[in-house]
Amino acid sequence: MHRGIGQALLLGRKMAAPGAQPQILVQYLVLRKDLSQAPFSWPAGALVAQACHAATAALHTHRDHPHTVAYLQELGRMRKVVLEAPDETTLKELAETLRQKSIDHMLWLEQPENVATCIALRPYPKEEVSQYLKKFRLFK
């Protein structure tokens, strides 16, 4: 058994009252909307790659956290929510807020330009982090 799996299974049992469904874990991503528009005009594939980089990095960095272990147990039931930030300044402000609130995340910096493109949180119960993400809309 993988290290942490037993702990994750216990966490799943503790997360809900007897007879209730276990708590749903969500991985939130916040992607810069302005990168899809002029003057940047990045193609959709490049934006998807940024979100993938950030999500993978966040999962890897926090791979031993019980929420991440539980999230990865059922690959077909993963939930991700992709939100949009209007620009780099807003994305960096969010990263600072998350840091101050001790919310585990990864701010992805595209290299070699060192441009902040996306934030990915490790998997969290929705209720724990949604208050910090309310001002961000679903990415369209």
Side-chain angles (χ1 to χ4, degrees), residues 73-124:
Q73 289 306 299
E74 295 185 59
L75 298 177
R77 295 177 42 111
M78 287 183 175
R79 288 191 167 89
K80 287 188 176 25
V81 175
V82 182
L83 305 170
E84 66 180 46
D87 53 37
E88 187 173 25
T89 300
T90 306
L91 195 69
K92 287 181 174 181
E93 289 171 356
L94 173 60
E96 179 58 23
T97 298
L98 296 173
R99 187 193 65 73
Q100 290 175 3
K101 301 295 182 185
S102 299
I103 296 172
D104 296 331
H105 67 282
M106 172 63 66
L107 172 63
W108 186 257
L109 300 173
E110 181 61 13
Q111 299 300 328
E113 300 88 356
N114 207 38
V115 174
T117 59
C118 187
I119 291 175
L121 279 61
R122 70 159 169 79
Y124 272 93

Side-chain angles (χ1 to χ4, degrees), residues 26-83:
V26 177
Q27 185 177 30
Y28 285 96
L29 295 100
V30 182
L31 187 59
R32 280 180 53 191
K33 178 68 174 177
D34 65 327
L35 293 175
S36 68
Q37 303 162 340
F40 303 106
S41 300
W42 287 22
L47 292 173
V48 170
Q50 299 305 302
C52 290
H53 292 324
T56 302
L59 290 171
H60 180 73
T61 300
H62 302 287
R63 65 188 170 275
D64 293 328
H65 190 282
H67 286 156
T68 304
V69 173
Y71 181 81
L72 294 171
Q73 289 306 299
E74 295 185 59
L75 298 177
R77 295 177 42 111
M78 287 183 175
R79 288 191 167 89
K80 287 188 176 25
V81 175
V82 182
L83 305 170

